[in-house]
Amino acid sequence: LTTFANLPYVHCLAADGVEVEKYDIAILGAPFDTGVTARPGARFGPGGIRQGSRRIAPEFGWNIHTGENVFLDWARIVDCGDAPLTFLDNTIALKQLDASHKRTSGRSANSSEYHIPRIITLGGDHTTTLSALRSTHERWGEVSVIHFDSHLDTWDPEVLGGGISHYAGVNHGTFLHIAHEEGLISNSSVHAGIRAPLMRPKGDIRNDLRCGFEIVTARAIDRIGVDGVIHALRKRVAGSKVYISVDIDVLDPSYAPATGTAEVGGWTTRELLAILDGLRGLEVVGADVVEVAPIYDNPGETTLLAAAEVVRSLLEILVHKPVK
Amino acid sequence: LTTFANLPYVHCLAADGVEVEKYDIAILGAPFDTGVTARPGARFGPGGIRQGSRRIAPEFGWNIHTGENVFLDWARIVDCGDAPLTFLDNTIALKQLDASHKRTSGRSANSSEYHIPRIITLGGDHTTTLSALRSTHERWGEVSVIHFDSHLDTWDPEVLGGGISHYAGVNHGTFLHIAHEEGLISNSSVHAGIRAPLMRPKGDIRNDLRCGFEIVTARAIDRIGVDGVIHALRKRVAGSKVYISVDIDVLDPSYAPATGTAEVGGWTTRELLAILDGLRGLEVVGADVVEVAPIYDNPGETTLLAAAEVVRSLLEILVHKPVK
Amino acid sequence: LTTFANLPYVHCLAADGVEVEKYDIAILGAPFDTGVTARPGARFGPGGIRQGSRRIAPEFGWNIHTGENVFLDWARIVDCGDAPLTFLDNTIALKQLDASHKRTSGRSANSSEYHIPRIITLGGDHTTTLSALRSTHERWGEVSVIHFDSHLDTWDPEVLGGGISHYAGVNHGTFLHIAHEEGLISNSSVHAGIRAPLMRPKGDIRNDLRCGFEIVTARAIDRIGVDGVIHALRKRVAGSKVYISVDIDVLDPSYAPATGTAEVGGWTTRELLAILDGLRGLEVVGADVVEVAPIYDNPGETTLLAAAEVVRSLLEILVHKPVK
Amino acid sequence: LTTFANLPYVHCLAADGVEVEKYDIAILGAPFDTGVTARPGARFGPGGIRQGSRRIAPEFGWNIHTGENVFLDWARIVDCGDAPLTFLDNTIALKQLDASHKRTSGRSANSSEYHIPRIITLGGDHTTTLSALRSTHERWGEVSVIHFDSHLDTWDPEVLGGGISHYAGVNHGTFLHIAHEEGLISNSSVHAGIRAPLMRPKGDIRNDLRCGFEIVTARAIDRIGVDGVIHALRKRVAGSKVYISVDIDVLDPSYAPATGTAEVGGWTTRELLAILDGLRGLEVVGADVVEVAPIYDNPGETTLLAAAEVVRSLLEILVHKPVK
Amino acid sequence: LTTFANLPYVHCLAADGVEVEKYDIAILGAPFDTGVTARPGARFGPGGIRQGSRRIAPEFGWNIHTGENVFLDWARIVDCGDAPLTFLDNTIALKQLDASHKRTSGRSANSSEYHIPRIITLGGDHTTTLSALRSTHERWGEVSVIHFDSHLDTWDPEVLGGGISHYAGVNHGTFLHIAHEEGLISNSSVHAGIRAPLMRPKGDIRNDLRCGFEIVTARAIDRIGVDGVIHALRKRVAGSKVYISVDIDVLDPSYAPATGTAEVGGWTTRELLAILDGLRGLEVVGADVVEVAPIYDNPGETTLLAAAEVVRSLLEILVHKPVK
Amino acid sequence: LTTFANLPYVHCLAADGVEVEKYDIAILGAPFDTGVTARPGARFGPGGIRQGSRRIAPEFGWNIHTGENVFLDWARIVDCGDAPLTFLDNTIALKQLDASHKRTSGRSANSSEYHIPRIITLGGDHTTTLSALRSTHERWGEVSVIHFDSHLDTWDPEVLGGGISHYAGVNHGTFLHIAHEEGLISNSSVHAGIRAPLMRPKGDIRNDLRCGFEIVTARAIDRIGVDGVIHALRKRVAGSKVYISVDIDVLDPSYAPATGTAEVGGWTTRELLAILDGLRGLEVVGADVVEVAPIYDNPGETTLLAAAEVVRSLLEILVHKPVK
Ligand SMILES: [Mn+2]
Ligand SMILES: [Mn+2]
Ligand SMILES: [Mn+2]
Ligand SMILES: [Mn+2]
Ligand SMILES: [Mn+2]
Ligand SMILES: [Mn+2]
Ligand SMILES: [Mn+2]
Ligand SMILES: [Mn+2]
Ligand SMILES: [Mn+2]
Ligand SMILES: [Mn+2]
Ligand SMILES: [Mn+2]
Ligand SMILES: [Mn+2]
């Protein structure tokens, strides 16, 4: 019915032993939003992004700039539907998502050369990236994260949400801290588009450094331009395998109102898409677009269209550079 | 700033020992929605209902039908603001809400005759009623519940959400089951407006009976009329203290679209308000309006207006019949 | 371009002496909303109602119930566009509207038998009815008003808005009081659909009686039915010339959310339209639909469609019974 | 991914000779809206209705009134997805839809007793019913149509749209005329809920009779009640095979704003659902819900929820009475 | 009533021989959207753009940058209302639009020097430009087209929509191909703002060249700036008469969500308006703004305001440079 | 309940003699919109901006760029709620606002060094700035105004609205003229972001100069950049005390649709916020954000978020530079 970009649906999550059609890149929905601190609704993000991609289609997919068609290239790309996640217990839901990632990336790829399928996750709130990073760590080891977001998301669970309980400490503002503690990411990660305020004058930044991140602020682009941002990101992660996580709130609310914690003063889609295109050639082993909460969108589906296009850009990066 | 019906704000939740202005009836917000199974957003319900009540004001509050003004009667009615609840751990949040109820109902009333302040809770998802029932139980003992809803909400936690974990079993579809198990409610309770389907052919009904409920379906009104519904409800709870819980989804989505689990074929506001008026004289010790999720409302705030008016009706019931 | 029901536009407001096409019934917009106490926006009501009438057309106008086509009957019906009203001074604006009414009703009708054109005003807030009543008074003398509304609108200017200044006392809640004081209406008027609360326990009702009104409440329909309401209204105004004013907030917010002071518990459009049909045969010399504020409407234009249909019903009443 | 009521997807439209899972009742989408005369958008109706059915699920499908679960009964019900229809040529599109119906109803059913699968079509504008009637005619012969609509839809192509060209004459207001001329329907058909005006004073009614229809108007329900309507419909079609077509505009715009030609003064969902339930026992060989144009819906998806529930009611009718 | 920019309405489409007020520039609506491949709704574009222009008025029209008032200059500008177009047969509708253009441009102008009135069309989907080009060809011969769009719209009918039928091949993605084949446009045309993907890797571009177009992509502006774009466009069409067609989807969906085939990564209104201003001095013989589908707009009418302003800019170009 | 940025509420408007908590900077709402010429609704602006600030909080307020937290600095910042203003008489309402400003700025500040509390007003339409300037004049003498707006707002009351009556001449387009005539502002003021057209070819500019203003147009930023704008503004007001007024319509409608007289081609929030940051160090004695009309906002509250962030930037300017 409605798959991302009218791609074929494959039941990637079928029980072990059940044969399914092979694939090289999998789109996987992660309907989850009980890790948010403000406006909920990202549980409907995967369906929303798919709806935003309705006019994207493999047979109509020749990029005007590159002359290439990512859907008709070497990689078989499929939509695996959504991971089955409960809305009623975050701990269980993350385990369910871990399992879905494991199963999806665990099948042998369609390509005879590149054996491990890569996954693009459609969030879901940003907590879902934790499962994705556990998955890439299992298959590829530590990764550098290029983290597009207006927020740091490396908050110490003791500071954000926690203090109250361990359970509360696992959320969309702490998952990168936890990923660091679990040893999933390397110390060559980088944020891009940051502009939201902090909770502690210096502690947050110190902690962020400890988690392995550098910061490219949203306003940096006015000084160094799109090319400068691209350069900074590429330099930071040079030589390592990369995971790209796009919190849609990196865009200005004018471009992406449909998100839970929108911050004004962000990037335009033209800027973001140009930056993403500038990341081609990196060894990207996984990616996601998260925090899309459709109910807050304009009638014209501004955010859904933007999110779908970001996914297409991510696909181009993955197809451009296969990873062994 | 924006209080319910422009009532005075009182900091009822101030620490023990801190004196605050006295009150007889307290409006208390319960911003919580992580116990829902479908569309979230009721965390903004309390603010939404207050916004829907902006044109209600004590000095403009003379009921055209009764000639009475509930705001200028014997009872001092105040708005206590919202209970401070985390969105990140349901177990903690319910404890926080329990504590807020305890503190709010624990102060001595303004009236010299009726010593215990009564609370009308603005939800929040329906799970929040569990805290309210714990509170009425502590102050008044077991109550009969008149439960306006399209759903039973007595599901066994093992059946709805549970099975997965104890944590997941505490939600907006099971709280009445839990209330029964905790001994908070008596076996003379009643549902009104039921129309949603069940999970188990006979088990759900059997379980519902065990929890102490009779059922008046939404369609019953076509047969027995508003008066018949009033009669059935009054008869069922006769002689006991009563708690009235209004899940806004008892209304048809045409009248109350802004809710998480809307079910078509419901009652109109004219019907619901007439039924509520017919409950005057009952000894009601607490009440709530829950499951209002403003983001799903029409631009004209259809649902918020309806919810605010339901709260006014509940106030009239409480003022009409003080309870010792 | 967009006229009511695709009727011909006639420049009724052309300067005296300028000949224009003749007409028997005129639609006149009154874009004015600075007399409101709550949500503004009715200044765009006339355009909105016209938009809601886009699918109504003379050549497609045979009523399924009566087999008649009001647009192709004896009366020439035209749309005169909007009266030119300032938004910046209510006193001036009402004078401008008085003048527009005078000019529109002052031309000789198309019919050789019935000489005075009648006007249906598209509001605008309810204050605009004051000008319309001045106009009917000048042409036909005192009228009985059938006033569909959830509010009394006979408030004493000293009580509502006034006290502050004379200027403030002329508003959408006091215009019927003023009309009474100006001697425009007779003591056989009637409200229908009333449900909003009052400002003074007894004073408001006493004052309302003094202004010449009886009250049929919104809930009365549950007791006496549509036929009972019709009977009550006809009986009250029997023998006199009649003005019908429909404040769209007489409908429930589910049917007419796009209004400034919506009150829940109102009538359905099926009820209102049946009541209006029951008024055929009365000598109606003017009518209006007011308080339509399009920005609060649903995307499907629920209110605009209802308002347009009410205007069509009013047209049927006027055409059915010509008045000398 | 999103199927109606979370039913299994089956590729019913696979090429002849390709084996697919068997089924007894098929849900088939007809994304088509270029046969409309007013607001377009019903091309997104099938997806919209499926979205409105997200909370309906076989395992949670026990009807509170009947104690039955239509999804777990004798019939295997599946969602076949959408027929592939062009938006750029109505003639071609209808042929494509004819072919899809033929293929879907042409497979042998899952039941060993009832051999022909029945189809519930999700429109699409009402023109799509023409294909459905061609399909039922081919499998079962002439049918009586129970046509829920505010409009007659039997207009002569020469009168509505046509005159201009044959092509223009095939549209959502003439398809019943054409169905009659093609001999697909018998002279014992009936409209229910009619209230829109006519184009010709007597011609339209005469023509309607010629097409085999009686009329139950929307307002009739105020006189004869739900039971009276049921009685009239059953009596009219007694003894014949029946096709039920539900134009969602039979509902009042308050209940179903998301449609192209909404008419005020319609039925409530409670009334419509009760009427549909009263049709159980009839030999219904096909059904549809059409004219759902999601972009006009409220944020709370009022119309989509109503349409999905109507489909569920239709399923109950079909399952209740298998047809040989 | 609501005309573009409060301009006088003139019945330009009156039958031949009927005298109407003279004009130099005519605004003409083309309510048509059955040539679209995705979201319909542009049939309401003309009304929408007029609504977006409500605050534009001749007496308040002095441009802050130029100190000129296009409405009070040499040219008499009028609004001719909408061409009468059927929604039920594209072939007929285009003929109707051809005839409307012919009649509107066929009257002798108000100016004694410049005899042929020029037309700015308010779309309608982009197919309507075909009629406009037929019209300019008849009056002025071949023109160069400056085509602002995110899509090429030169697709071969055999490739886009066609293959199925000749009828289907005439649509909003092929009209420039057809215009080329009909010899209406010269080989010095140019696209501006292109970013949507293609259907055939090389064929689409080859075909586009054959149709006489060069491409300035949306992203080119980041490299060559607004001035660079202006320079490229002027250079391309130098020396020829020009037609300017603005598909509103050239803007980013953030600026113009209300369109059928929105593509992210587009231009801002500040950029587009600056580019348009840079085209002054060209001999522009016709222009349009198309693909405005109001139902997808934000409540604040973002798109309608932008489209109206684009029309004003086009008017400034036409007034600045009269054409003999 | 909902205060700006979760700041403490202080009853600054308590009667003289009533002690209240001290403060250095006061947020004051001015719910007023009857001075507008187009779309009303700014009366709900103060509540809307507060809602847009819900995620701003003192304890989470460390600016990522400066490392400072304006809420935990030397100044005590409070929310005083809304001035009590009638909607029914502009003359009275402005007097009420004058009095509220006087009372709020008349209390002695919390700081022992800087004695006069400064006020940031939340509009309300732009007329409300007149009261604010009367207030700063009384406390600090003449000020230079930095006026961010797409409109001049220095129109002569005789030209805009007036001519009709003195009353009509006081409105959101003339208040700066009146402020000049009342001697409240000095001849070193400056507009920023101007792009709307004028009423008189030269008269408006001449008059604007007479009122003491220079103009930086919206498009100037394309030539001189953010830094150039900052430089121009600082240079113009150098050496004087400054009042900053931000009409939200200085932003493009894409960023701030929720305003009454939106003009396309405006600035982005990133640009505006950068400009505001560039004004640090100026002696700003008062500021406001006006013309926010929430009903026109997107569901994601794009405008409300932008307005709240602008207020935060203004707070940073005020805290950065205390004024004696
Ligand atoms: Mn974020
Ligand atoms: Mn994030
Ligand atoms: Mn419920
Ligand atoms: Mn419930
Ligand atoms: Mn009213
Ligand atoms: Mn009224
Ligand atoms: Mn219909
Ligand atoms: Mn129909
Ligand atoms: Mn395009
Ligand atoms: Mn185009
Ligand atoms: Mn201004
Ligand atoms: Mn302005």
Side-chain angles (χ1 to χ4, degrees), chain C residues 29-36 39-50 82-83 85-90 122-126 128 258 260 290-296, chain E residues 54-55, chain F residues 32-43 87 90 125 172 260-261 296:
Chain C
F32 174 88
D33 66 0
T34 42
V36 306
R39 304 190 301 203
R43 67 182 64 182
F44 299 119
I49 300 172
R50 288 190 184 98
D82 290 350
L85 307 179
T86 180
F87 299 136
L88 294 170
D89 186 334
N90 293 359
L122 311 180
D125 78 49
H126 221 151
T128 60
V290 299
E291 299 281 353
V292 175
I295 188 63
Y296 298 100
Chain E
R54 279 189 301 195
R55 283 192 305 100
Chain F
F32 175 89
D33 66 0
T34 42
V36 306
T37 52
R39 306 191 299 206
R43 69 182 62 181
F87 299 136
N90 294 358
D125 78 47
H172 74 155
T261 48
Y296 299 100

Side-chain angles (χ1 to χ4, degrees), chain F residues 171-186:
Chain F
N171 60 58
H172 74 155
T174 62
F175 72 94
L176 282 176
H177 188 103
I178 299 168
H180 164 70
E181 293 201 334
E182 293 189 4
L184 310 176
I185 61 178
S186 59

Side-chain angles (χ1 to χ4, degrees), chain F residues 145-193:
Chain F
V145 177
I146 300 180
H147 173 232
F148 291 91
D149 204 320
S150 64
H151 308 91
L152 289 183
D153 291 0
T154 52
W155 275 282
D156 188 329
E158 288 304 308
V159 172
L160 183 70
I164 304 176
S165 69
H166 176 77
Y167 187 102
V170 182
N171 60 58
H172 74 155
T174 62
F175 72 94
L176 282 176
H177 188 103
I178 299 168
H180 164 70
E181 293 201 334
E182 293 189 4
L184 310 176
I185 61 178
S186 59
N187 280 331
S188 49
S189 292
V190 61
H191 304 293

Side-chain angles (χ1 to χ4, degrees), chain A residues 153-227:
Chain A
D153 291 359
T154 53
W155 275 282
D156 187 328
E158 289 303 310
V159 172
L160 184 69
I164 304 175
S165 70
H166 176 77
Y167 187 101
V170 182
N171 60 59
H172 75 154
T174 61
F175 72 94
L176 283 175
H177 187 104
I178 299 168
H180 164 72
E181 293 201 334
E182 294 189 4
L184 310 176
I185 61 178
S186 59
N187 281 331
S188 49
S189 292
V190 61
H191 304 293
I194 298 298
R195 59 194 182 278
L198 308 180
M199 293 189 74
R200 297 177 304 174
K202 291 175 188 162
D204 284 359
I205 297 294
R206 243 190 336 250
N207 175 64
D208 192 57
L209 282 168
R210 213 157 32 215
C211 291
F213 281 85
E214 266 184 18
I215 296 175
V216 177
T217 66
R219 286 209 193 155
I221 207 170
D222 295 326
R223 214 176 53 246
I224 62 175
V226 161
D227 289 343

Side-chain angles (χ1 to χ4, degrees), chain E residues 70-141:
Chain E
V70 72
F71 301 108
L72 303 180
D73 212 311
W74 69 269
R76 187 166 153 76
I77 312 175
V78 304
D79 189 332
C80 303
D82 290 350
L85 307 179
T86 180
F87 299 137
L88 293 170
D89 187 332
N90 294 359
T91 308
I92 303 289
L94 281 180
K95 281 184 191 157
Q96 292 170 323
L97 187 52
D98 289 351
S100 292
H101 267 286
K102 190 162 193 168
R103 186 159 288 171
T104 302
S105 65
R107 300 183 182 274
S108 58
N110 187 52
S111 160
S112 56
E113 197 170 355
Y114 306 101
H115 302 302
I116 310 175
R118 289 175 287 171
I119 299 172
I120 294 184
T121 310
L122 311 180
D125 78 48
H126 221 150
T127 319
T128 60
T129 298
L130 184 55
S131 283
L133 291 171
R134 286 171 181 160
S135 170
T136 53
H137 185 258
E138 184 171 346
R139 304 292 173 204
W140 316 88

